[in-house]
mmCIF file of all heavy atoms in Angstrom:
data_model
loop_
_atom_site.group_PDB
_atom_site.id
_atom_site.type_symbol
_atom_site.label_atom_id
_atom_site.label_comp_id
_atom_site.label_asym_id
_atom_site.label_seq_id
_atom_site.Cartn_x
_atom_site.Cartn_y
_atom_site.Cartn_z
ATOM 1 N N MET R 314 31.487 -71.875 -62.764
ATOM 2 C CA MET R 314 32.724 -71.465 -62.103
ATOM 3 C C MET R 314 33.197 -72.547 -61.146
ATOM 4 O O MET R 314 34.377 -72.882 -61.083
ATOM 5 C CB MET R 314 32.530 -70.154 -61.348
ATOM 6 C CG MET R 314 32.666 -68.927 -62.236
ATOM 7 S SD MET R 314 32.057 -67.481 -61.414
ATOM 8 C CE MET R 314 33.349 -67.250 -60.210
ATOM 9 N N VAL R 315 32.218 -73.089 -60.418
ATOM 10 C CA VAL R 315 32.574 -74.122 -59.431
ATOM 11 C C VAL R 315 33.143 -75.355 -60.147
ATOM 12 O O VAL R 315 34.198 -75.869 -59.765
ATOM 13 C CB VAL R 315 31.338 -74.489 -58.585
ATOM 14 C CG1 VAL R 315 31.645 -75.677 -57.687
ATOM 15 C CG2 VAL R 315 30.909 -73.293 -57.732
ATOM 16 N N THR R 316 32.422 -75.743 -61.205
ATOM 17 C CA THR R 316 32.930 -76.930 -61.920
ATOM 18 C C THR R 316 34.286 -76.652 -62.546
ATOM 19 O O THR R 316 35.162 -77.512 -62.592
ATOM 20 C CB THR R 316 31.932 -77.376 -63.014
ATOM 21 O OG1 THR R 316 31.416 -76.201 -63.644
ATOM 22 C CG2 THR R 316 30.804 -78.183 -62.427
ATOM 23 N N ASN R 317 34.451 -75.411 -63.029
ATOM 24 C CA ASN R 317 35.750 -75.006 -63.558
ATOM 25 C C ASN R 317 36.855 -75.204 -62.542
ATOM 26 O O ASN R 317 37.928 -75.731 -62.831
ATOM 27 C CB ASN R 317 35.723 -73.529 -63.915
ATOM 28 C CG ASN R 317 35.587 -73.341 -65.418
ATOM 29 O OD1 ASN R 317 35.923 -74.276 -66.164
ATOM 30 N ND2 ASN R 317 35.120 -72.210 -65.848
ATOM 31 N N LEU R 318 36.532 -74.740 -61.367
ATOM 32 C CA LEU R 318 37.535 -74.785 -60.309
ATOM 33 C C LEU R 318 37.940 -76.209 -59.977
ATOM 34 O O LEU R 318 39.108 -76.534 -59.860
ATOM 35 C CB LEU R 318 36.986 -74.130 -59.056
ATOM 36 C CG LEU R 318 37.411 -72.674 -58.818
ATOM 37 C CD1 LEU R 318 36.654 -72.109 -57.631
ATOM 38 C CD2 LEU R 318 38.917 -72.614 -58.545
ATOM 39 N N PHE R 319 36.889 -77.045 -59.783
ATOM 40 C CA PHE R 319 37.216 -78.379 -59.279
ATOM 41 C C PHE R 319 37.452 -79.404 -60.388
ATOM 42 O O PHE R 319 38.398 -80.155 -60.353
ATOM 43 C CB PHE R 319 36.096 -78.863 -58.356
ATOM 44 C CG PHE R 319 36.005 -78.037 -57.122
ATOM 45 C CD1 PHE R 319 35.035 -77.056 -56.978
ATOM 46 C CD2 PHE R 319 36.938 -78.214 -56.106
ATOM 47 C CE1 PHE R 319 34.974 -76.293 -55.858
ATOM 48 C CE2 PHE R 319 36.874 -77.436 -54.981
ATOM 49 C CZ PHE R 319 35.905 -76.475 -54.840
ATOM 50 N N GLY R 320 36.536 -79.373 -61.384
ATOM 51 C CA GLY R 320 36.622 -80.428 -62.404
ATOM 52 C C GLY R 320 37.424 -80.013 -63.639
ATOM 53 O O GLY R 320 38.328 -80.715 -64.068
ATOM 54 N N GLY R 321 37.125 -78.852 -64.124
ATOM 55 C CA GLY R 321 37.764 -78.390 -65.347
ATOM 56 C C GLY R 321 37.346 -79.250 -66.540
ATOM 57 O O GLY R 321 38.148 -79.585 -67.387
ATOM 58 N N GLY R 322 36.053 -79.687 -66.527
ATOM 59 C CA GLY R 322 35.509 -80.574 -67.535
ATOM 60 C C GLY R 322 35.408 -79.911 -68.908
ATOM 61 O O GLY R 322 36.404 -79.489 -69.471
ATOM 62 N N ALA R 323 34.230 -79.821 -69.396
ATOM 63 C CA ALA R 323 34.060 -79.264 -70.736
ATOM 64 C C ALA R 323 33.156 -78.056 -70.741
ATOM 65 O O ALA R 323 32.094 -78.093 -71.357
ATOM 66 C CB ALA R 323 33.519 -80.344 -71.683
ATOM 67 N N PRO R 324 33.563 -77.036 -70.044
ATOM 68 C CA PRO R 324 32.702 -75.845 -70.025
ATOM 69 C C PRO R 324 32.528 -75.173 -71.376
ATOM 70 O O PRO R 324 31.429 -74.738 -71.696
ATOM 71 C CB PRO R 324 33.399 -74.914 -69.016
ATOM 72 C CG PRO R 324 34.751 -75.459 -68.777
ATOM 73 C CD PRO R 324 34.761 -76.877 -69.245
ATOM 74 N N PRO R 325 33.552 -75.121 -72.205
ATOM 75 C CA PRO R 325 33.352 -74.413 -73.467
ATOM 76 C C PRO R 325 32.262 -75.041 -74.310
ATOM 77 O O PRO R 325 31.469 -74.351 -74.915
ATOM 78 C CB PRO R 325 34.723 -74.490 -74.147
ATOM 79 C CG PRO R 325 35.664 -75.105 -73.212
ATOM 80 C CD PRO R 325 34.919 -75.643 -72.070
ATOM 81 N N GLN R 326 32.217 -76.365 -74.206
ATOM 82 C CA GLN R 326 31.191 -77.059 -74.968
ATOM 83 C C GLN R 326 29.797 -76.642 -74.520
ATOM 84 O O GLN R 326 28.925 -76.328 -75.314
ATOM 85 C CB GLN R 326 31.359 -78.572 -74.766
ATOM 86 C CG GLN R 326 32.316 -79.189 -75.759
ATOM 87 C CD GLN R 326 32.540 -80.668 -75.500
ATOM 88 O OE1 GLN R 326 31.862 -81.293 -74.684
ATOM 89 N NE2 GLN R 326 33.490 -81.250 -76.198
ATOM 90 N N LYS R 327 29.677 -76.680 -73.247
ATOM 91 C CA LYS R 327 28.375 -76.324 -72.668
ATOM 92 C C LYS R 327 27.932 -74.970 -73.150
ATOM 93 O O LYS R 327 26.787 -74.719 -73.505
ATOM 94 C CB LYS R 327 28.480 -76.303 -71.141
ATOM 95 C CG LYS R 327 27.810 -77.494 -70.502
ATOM 96 C CD LYS R 327 27.681 -77.290 -68.997
ATOM 97 C CE LYS R 327 27.015 -78.496 -68.361
ATOM 98 N NZ LYS R 327 27.051 -78.365 -66.913
ATOM 99 N N LYS R 328 28.891 -74.079 -73.124
ATOM 100 C CA LYS R 328 28.586 -72.719 -73.510
ATOM 101 C C LYS R 328 28.077 -72.665 -74.942
ATOM 102 O O LYS R 328 27.126 -71.997 -75.278
ATOM 103 C CB LYS R 328 29.851 -71.866 -73.369
ATOM 104 C CG LYS R 328 29.517 -70.403 -73.060
ATOM 105 C CD LYS R 328 30.750 -69.612 -72.815
ATOM 106 C CE LYS R 328 30.420 -68.202 -72.412
ATOM 107 N NZ LYS R 328 31.637 -67.456 -72.124
ATOM 108 N N LYS R 329 28.763 -73.430 -75.724
ATOM 109 C CA LYS R 329 28.374 -73.486 -77.131
ATOM 110 C C LYS R 329 26.956 -74.019 -77.272
ATOM 111 O O LYS R 329 26.129 -73.455 -77.980
ATOM 112 C CB LYS R 329 29.352 -74.399 -77.906
ATOM 113 C CG LYS R 329 30.349 -73.588 -78.743
ATOM 114 C CD LYS R 329 31.234 -74.530 -79.528
ATOM 115 C CE LYS R 329 32.454 -73.812 -80.052
ATOM 116 N NZ LYS R 329 33.452 -74.779 -80.553
#
Side-chain angles (χ1 to χ4, degrees):
Chain R
M314 277 166 72
V315 173
T316 40
N317 257 338
L318 261 173
F319 294 102
Q326 272 177 9
K327 254 192 180 173
K328 209 175 184 178
K329 256 183 196 168

